[in-house]
Amino acid sequence: MSVNLKSANMVDHALGALLASHCLLCGARGQGALSLCAACAADMPRNATCCAHCALPLETPSPLCGRCIRHAPPWDAAWVPFRYEWPLAQLEARFKFGADLAAGRTLSLLWRASQAPHALPDAIVPVPLHHSRLRKRGYNQALELAKPLAKHFGIPLLRDGLRRSRATHAQTELTAIQRRRNVRGAFEANFDRETPQHVAVLDDVFTTGATLAECVRVLKRVGVQRVDVWALARAPARR
Ligand SMILES: [Zn+2]
Ligand SMILES: [Zn+2]
């Protein structure tokens, strides 16, 4: 038994060393478990100057962006530690479309290591994929990013807290208004036990926020008091 444990540990160490040995982006020597070299890790676009309500990257510090001043989105707070720009966007594309799980692991480590929000939720609910897309891709990238965060904070992960009630078109090619229409009525809340008081809805990339806003509305409608949105990276504003 002890021999087996010892050899399992050795395999772990060997695997760790292998994963850490090269930077996923430039091939230089990696740094610890992150699988990035120091230079590439420093290049990650942190979303330091952003709107306090929707995390939109801002050129100059200001409490809120113009859109949130005019019409605040339905969530209570946003935690989006990165901007969706090179080189993070490259890792995200490899994770999402290339099934590169090492890239996903690096992204979740970057997320975990960034400054956490003051108020943590009672539960994390990932934005679900429709089963047809899930079947094609094999995994839900939001759920995969949510798992290590939930573990890190010791917060329950309610993977089926939201369900897709119908398939939607890919949002990429749609305008902001089309995106909003596309996701309307696409989700339903699903809490088999008690409805949590405070939930964070989690997605990989926050683009226009149409999907997240729809998830927030659905959760509030079933009685969730406070809903925050968490995403790894925030895309710049689009018209
Ligand atoms: Zn590098
Ligand atoms: Zn804003």
Side-chain angles (χ1 to χ4, degrees):
M1 186 65 188
S2 64
V3 173
N4 280 345
L5 272 178
K6 199 175 166 196
S7 53
N9 273 338
M10 280 165 69
V11 170
D12 260 5
H13 280 301
L15 206 60
L18 199 68
L19 285 171
S21 61
H22 292 290
C23 173
L24 288 174
L25 288 164
C26 73
R29 208 179 150 70
Q31 256 193 326
L34 195 57
S35 303
L36 290 177
C37 71
C40 287
D43 276 344
M44 288 299 151
R46 299 201 173 265
N47 194 13
T49 307
C50 63
C51 170
H53 193 73
C54 76
L56 180 74
L58 299 173
E59 306 244 323
T60 48
S62 166
L64 293 173
C65 72
R67 193 182 283 177
C68 284
I69 291 171
R70 287 192 301 275
H71 183 70
W75 53 78
D76 295 278
W79 181 34
V80 191
F82 294 94
R83 299 190 309 272
Y84 190 61
E85 289 169 14
W86 184 91
L88 182 131
Q90 194 182 334
L91 285 178
E92 167 65 18
R94 276 162 58 174
F95 170 49
K96 191 166 175 173
F97 304 111
D100 184 340
L101 297 180
R105 185 170 166 276
T106 292
L107 292 171
S108 73
L109 285 172
L110 285 168
W111 195 346
R112 242 168 53 179
S114 57
Q115 166 118 45
H118 295 300
L120 290 173
D122 305 323
I124 299 176
V125 175
V127 172
L129 282 186
H130 190 258
H131 55 79
S132 57
R133 197 163 304 157
L134 186 61
R135 215 176 311 133
K136 241 196 204 151
R137 188 172 295 162
Y139 57 96
N140 174 357
Q141 72 282 356
L143 172 62
E144 295 310 313
L145 288 173
K147 282 178 191 168
L149 276 184
K151 203 169 155 195
H152 175 68
F153 290 125
I155 300 171
L157 172 63
L158 306 180
R159 58 166 73 202
D160 295 317
L162 281 167
R163 284 187 179 150
R164 286 258 175 188
S165 31
R166 61 173 173 81
T168 50
H169 301 287
Q171 297 272 75
T172 328
E173 300 303 320
L174 306 179
T175 64
I177 290 171
Q178 287 169 328
R179 282 173 183 237
R180 224 170 300 151
R181 263 187 224 136
N182 186 34
V183 291
R184 196 169 296 154
F187 302 97
E188 52 194 24
N190 170 53
F191 299 114
D192 42 357
R193 280 183 236 148
E194 217 178 309
T195 300
Q197 291 274 302
H198 180 186
V199 166
V201 191
L202 185 149
D203 209 353
D204 53 344
V205 180
F206 180 140
T207 309
T208 63
T211 301
L212 285 164
E214 182 64 15
C215 292
V216 171
R217 280 186 210 105
V218 168
L219 291 171
K220 291 212 163 181
R221 225 175 281 146
V222 298
V224 181
Q225 298 285 307
R226 172 174 172 165
V227 187
D228 300 341
V229 292
W230 288 9
L232 172 71
R234 182 72 157 88
R238 293 199 348 174
R239 313 251 151 227

